[in-house]
Amino acid sequence: MEPITQKLIHSFGALADLGQEVASSGDFSEMVRTSLHLLLGTLAIRRGIVVAYSGEDKTEPLAVWGLEEDYQPTLTITEADRKAFLASKRPVTWGPASTPDGPEDYDFIRLYSDELRGQHLELLAPMIVHDSLAGLVVLGGKASGEPFTEADLEVVHVMVRHIGVGIHQHRLIGEVKSQAEQNRRLYEDLRAIYRDTVSAFAAAIDIKDKYTQGHSERVGKYSEIIAREMGFPEEEVEGLAIAGYLHDVGKLVVERGIINAPYRIDAKQSSELNRHPAAGFEILKSIHHPYADIPLAAKYHHERIDGRGYPDGLTDLQIPLGAKIVSLADSFDAMTTDRPYKTRRSFDEVISDFRRNTGTQFDVVVVVAFCRALLKELSGETTERSFVRMLGKNYLDSTRDIPLLRELLGELAPAQSAVAGR
Ligand SMILES: [Fe+2]
């Protein structure tokens, strides 16, 4: 094979390697350094530098190869040079074989020729991408001492363009990343505002009902815990927390006297109170949460598996899962807080209620998730203290309650696997 053909094949190989390197998504400075090394290897050059240029006068060194260790190039590019580089696009040498447009035409070379010669650097190639200057590659002479040929300069020109594309791409990715980061922060702010608005709303609901202060917030928190235990993705968990916060929003349209009645209400009052799920749905129906049907959870949080709930008497599979979760959270909070006509139940009474009503009022899967989450907290499997915070320090007793929970979970296991299998 003729030496010229061999050289051509070698250059093509190097170009392919360079293309791969430039397109890799790995470490940027490693990419520039490897690219420079490939370029040096192709023409048997011992030293070189790559500097980035981003519009200011100053350039920023990206890779240095084969130079004295303490050499820190601080090179600036004048406006006249920028234009000249863009016009010629070609490499310039000031070594033994100068290129036709002489080095003296460039401020850069007038300014730095001594410094660069001192480092045995004698060729400069502008990196031009999309008609703008992305940086410079400055190279030493060939190891053989021979002057650069036209073909060598062509190889340098092509390879430097490749490196320029890599640098340009990196800048673009950087810009996209910072834009995405900005968007993420904006989104987080919006979410925080949304959450704050929802909890303010929940507080407004609870203010109307003076005996159940904090009820909506606790139902939100219990719903969140159950959903997380059931393995829902975090966005859905948040949606269920919101559904819990807002489940009783319909009470805003129920007469205050009925909500705050310090005695058991009569049938007429009770039917007035029972309007609240449907009223809640009307209030919330314009909320389109991407992951949880919040209006439906409010509408059906008083439905029961056996169809004896309200407002529509739906049965098991007709009831949305979100509503089943909110329903259990709601009932648990009702049982464990004092009401005007009754004091709260003890924990073993709550467990008995769950035992009696799972499969008729409550969904077995939801009860199991609730018990598991509570068991995790009581047994120290998690550092969360949500239940203790909501129930007060003295309500739960792990020595007494862990066996109760384990026993109930054992009893519910067959029903739960039957549901899983259907
Ligand atoms: Fe309710």
Side-chain angles (χ1 to χ4, degrees):
M1 202 187 292
E2 275 186 64
I4 183 81
T5 318
Q6 224 163 12
K7 217 168 156 184
L8 210 61
I9 291 173
H10 180 60
S11 303
F12 272 130
L15 210 54
D17 290 346
L18 185 59
Q20 228 169 43
E21 189 56 41
V22 163
S24 74
S25 55
D27 179 45
F28 173 66
S29 40
E30 196 51 42
M31 180 281 279
V32 180
R33 200 174 146 74
T34 311
S35 300
L36 174 62
H37 191 216
L38 279 166
L39 169 56
L40 297 177
T42 309
L43 294 175
I45 301 171
R46 288 211 184 96
R47 49 186 72 86
I49 52 180
V50 179
V51 296
Y53 172 77
S54 51
E56 309 291 313
D57 290 356
K58 279 245 175 318
T59 60
E60 179 203 347
L62 294 178
V64 177
W65 194 289
L67 299 177
E68 289 165 16
E69 236 162 62
D70 55 351
Y71 179 59
Q72 283 293 330
T74 48
L75 310 168
T76 59
I77 296 172
T78 62
E79 183 54 20
D81 270 2
R82 190 187 66 84
K83 285 186 179 147
F85 287 139
L86 286 177
S88 94
K89 299 187 172 64
R90 309 296 304 175
V92 194
T93 70
W94 52 93
S98 294
T99 33
D101 43 344
E104 63 282 356
D105 293 345
Y106 294 92
D107 295 333
F108 187 86
I109 291 158
R110 274 198 296 275
L111 276 168
Y112 300 115
S113 58
D114 287 347
E115 176 180 335
L116 297 173
R117 279 203 187 95
Q119 296 297 328
H120 308 286
L121 294 168
E122 56 181 75
L123 182 149
L124 173 158
M127 270 189 292
I128 293 163
V129 184
H130 296 315
D131 287 328
S132 74
L133 186 67
L136 299 175
V137 174
V138 189
L139 302 173
K142 289 159 78 171
S144 61
E146 293 164 26
F148 288 109
T149 64
E150 259 315 304
D152 293 337
L153 295 182
E154 188 54 33
V155 170
V156 169
H157 176 63
V158 173
M159 291 184 89
V160 165
R161 273 182 64 191
H162 260 68
I163 301 175
V165 167
I167 291 174
H168 181 70
Q169 241 172 14
H170 174 78
R171 274 198 199 133
L172 283 184
I173 291 170
E175 278 166 28
V176 169
K177 271 189 189 155
S178 95
Q179 189 63 44
E181 175 58 20
Q182 219 176 327
N183 283 350
R184 195 192 59 76
R185 255 184 263 142
L186 218 65
Y187 174 68
E188 278 303 314
D189 286 352
L190 272 177
R191 267 177 72 164
I193 293 169
Y194 186 54
R195 267 196 300 261
D196 291 350
T197 309
V198 169
S199 31
F201 224 68
I205 300 164
D206 291 345
I207 278 171
K208 196 164 179 194
D209 186 345
K210 67 175 177 186
Y211 297 111
T212 57
Q213 291 287 300
H215 170 68
S216 298
E217 203 167 336
R218 287 190 301 271
V219 173
K221 189 70 200 164
Y222 290 134
S223 302
E224 179 186 331
I225 292 170
I226 298 169
R228 188 168 291 123
E229 181 62 34
M230 287 174 80
F232 287 15
E234 268 315 294
E235 296 90 340
E236 221 165 312
V237 170
E238 182 168 299
L240 272 152
I242 294 168
Y245 276 127
L246 299 178
H247 76 287
D248 267 348
V249 70
K251 282 191 179 167
L252 289 173
V253 303
V254 174
E255 209 185 297
R256 186 185 285 261
I258 295 176
I259 295 173
N260 286 324
Y263 47 80
R264 283 191 189 277
I265 50 178
D266 63 28
K268 188 162 170 268
Q269 289 167 322
S270 162
S271 86
E272 168 67 13
L273 182 61
N274 291 359
R275 279 175 50 219
H276 81 271
F281 177 77
E282 288 304 313
I283 295 170
L284 299 174
K285 69 180 176 194
S286 57
I287 296 185
H288 297 291
H289 192 281
Y291 299 100
D293 203 328
I294 294 165
L296 279 189
K299 184 171 183 178
Y300 294 129
H301 76 273
H302 285 295
E303 296 290 358
R304 295 167 50 105
I305 303 291
D306 58 13
R308 290 171 50 230
Y310 63 92
D312 292 345
L314 301 184
T315 55
D316 192 4
L317 294 175
Q318 296 172 312
I319 308 170
L321 190 51
K324 289 174 171 175
I325 291 172
V326 173
S327 166
L328 183 73
D330 186 24
S331 301
F332 180 76
D333 188 62
M335 287 190 261
T336 53
T337 45
D338 290 332
R339 297 291 158 116
Y341 43 85
K342 62 176 172 32
T343 51
R344 69 172 171 177
R345 297 195 204 167
S346 65
F347 186 70
D348 67 321
E349 283 173 319
V350 172
I351 289 290
S352 304
D353 189 284
F354 280 5
R355 178 174 285 120
R356 230 178 9 257
N357 295 315
T358 300
T360 49
Q361 182 181 356
F362 307 126
D363 185 295
V364 63
V365 176
V366 178
V367 174
V368 165
F370 181 92
C371 292
R372 276 203 194 129
L374 178 52
L375 191 58
K376 278 182 188 169
E377 184 173 315
L378 285 178
S379 62
E381 199 180 309
T382 156
T383 51
E384 283 288 324
R385 285 290 164 265
S386 312
F387 285 100
V388 173
R389 220 175 304 127
M390 286 185 284
L391 293 163
K393 257 212 306 259
N394 301 321
Y395 184 74
L396 295 165
D397 172 349
S398 36
T399 327
R400 181 197 64 199
D401 300 339
I402 290 175
L404 288 175
L405 285 165
R406 291 219 169 106
E407 191 188 356
L408 180 61
L409 282 170
E411 288 167 31
L412 296 178
Q416 194 213 359
S417 34
V419 170
R422 80 183 172 195

